[in-house]
Amino acid sequence: EAQVTQNPRYLITVTGKKLTVTCSQNMNHEYMSWYRQDPGLGLRQIYYSMNVEVTDKGDVPEGYKVSRKEKRNFPLILESPSPNQTSLYFCASSLSAGVPLPQHFGDGTRLSIL
Amino acid sequence: AQSVTQPDIHITVSEGASLELRCNYSYGATPYLFWYVQSPGQGLQLLLKYFSGDTLVQGIKGFEAEFKRSQSSFNLRKPSVHWSDAAEYFCAVAFGNQFYFGTGTSLTVIP
């Protein structure tokens, strides 16, 4: 089954404790992306990756890091989480054919930073 | 900066009634346009997309959307709403390799 898998689905942690949210897709997609969803703000793009070793900032990259060492994986790293990063996070992927194609979304990761 | 506006935060319709969800975008050229639906506790699912050509596009679950360049709009419609359509709906625009989403419209369907 084609899917985007995020882990963990839920996490409660404390300020300053480094965490990683993993994202994996099994569709051989080139394009992968991270979003955060906040009430009244919709989804905002954090980082995206066009292919292995190619990443770029989205609209709200501050406080986040990403890496793309393999095509299928695109982890989101919070080196020193803060309460304002409490949010619902989505990973998404799509084929990349020179045009922005529709994305497949994971089921989300709800992070609470205390 | 590019932006996407969904002016209706919440809409309530009766089952069987027609539905129109509004979306306006701010962008210099013809963008790539999408509508997604999000059911509670789940990720987003693509309803339909517009890249070029016919300005009326058909999607899944009986939805359609019309691109109007003069109004910078991409409104989503359904002629007869079902109770299972209750969800949150997001309009999205792609500019280059980046995606911009509206703030969403929450749809309630009453029997």
Side-chain angles (χ1 to χ4, degrees):
Chain A
E1 179 189 349
Q3 57 186 1
V4 177
T5 303
Q6 299 178 225
N7 279 297
R9 292 291 313 279
Y10 304 91
L11 179 63
I12 301 174
T13 188
V14 296
T15 299
K17 185 176 181 182
K18 180 180 179 179
L19 68 91
T20 299
V21 185
T22 64
C23 174
S24 180
Q25 50 91 6
N26 63 359
M27 295 166 280
N28 203 35
H29 285 168
E30 292 89 1
Y31 186 97
M32 297 186 74
S33 182
W34 276 102
Y35 299 86
R36 59 178 290 173
Q37 182 179 12
D38 301 290
L41 297 177
L43 279 81
R44 293 177 292 167
Q45 195 169 31
I46 302 171
Y47 270 95
Y48 63 94
S49 169
M50 295 295 292
N51 214 324
V52 175
E53 302 291 2
V54 180
T55 63
D56 214 338
K57 296 177 181 178
D59 254 7
V60 289
E62 294 77 20
Y64 304 95
K65 284 177 59 177
V66 293
S67 68
R68 188 91 182 273
K69 294 183 171 55
E70 306 165 282
K71 197 172 188 179
R72 63 182 294 130
N73 296 323
F74 190 45
L76 179 69
I77 303 157
L78 285 71
E79 297 247 342
S80 183
S82 63
N84 64 12
Q85 293 177 297
T86 292
S87 188
L88 179 58
Y89 291 84
F90 287 100
C91 180
S93 73
S94 67
L95 286 168
S96 179
V99 295
L101 293 175
Q103 297 170 81
H104 296 253
F105 281 81
D107 287 336
T109 295
R110 188 167 292 281
L111 285 185
S112 293
I113 316 292
L114 305 178
Chain B
Q2 291 69 38
S3 68
V4 181
T5 303
Q6 293 181 248
D8 303 306
I9 296 173
H10 186 254
I11 284 182
T12 299
V13 299
S14 298
E15 191 168 16
S18 64
L19 171 71
E20 182 168 28
L21 303 182
R22 296 182 290 165
C23 174
N24 293 93
Y25 62 90
S26 169
Y27 183 63
T30 300
Y32 298 96
L33 298 159
F34 309 84
W35 273 100
Y36 286 87
V37 60
Q38 183 182 33
S39 298
Q42 296 188 13
L44 279 71
Q45 180 185 21
L46 179 73
L47 285 175
L48 46 77
K49 64 184 185 293
Y50 173 78
F51 285 0
S52 64
D54 192 347
T55 56
L56 184 64
V57 295
Q58 302 297 320
I60 63 171
K61 304 185 181 188
F63 285 94
E64 66 178 27
E66 185 172 13
F67 168 59
K68 292 185 177 180
R69 184 191 309 272
S70 61
Q71 298 176 20
S72 297
S73 69
F74 188 56
N75 294 349
L76 182 72
R77 300 194 294 247
K78 187 170 185 178
S80 178
V81 170
H82 188 262
W83 64 266
S84 60
D85 293 324
E88 184 129 23
Y89 291 81
F90 292 94
C91 180
V93 168
F95 168 64
N97 296 312
Q98 287 191 247
F99 287 81
Y100 300 88
F101 284 77
T103 52
T105 298
S106 177
L107 176 66
T108 297
V109 180
I110 55 177

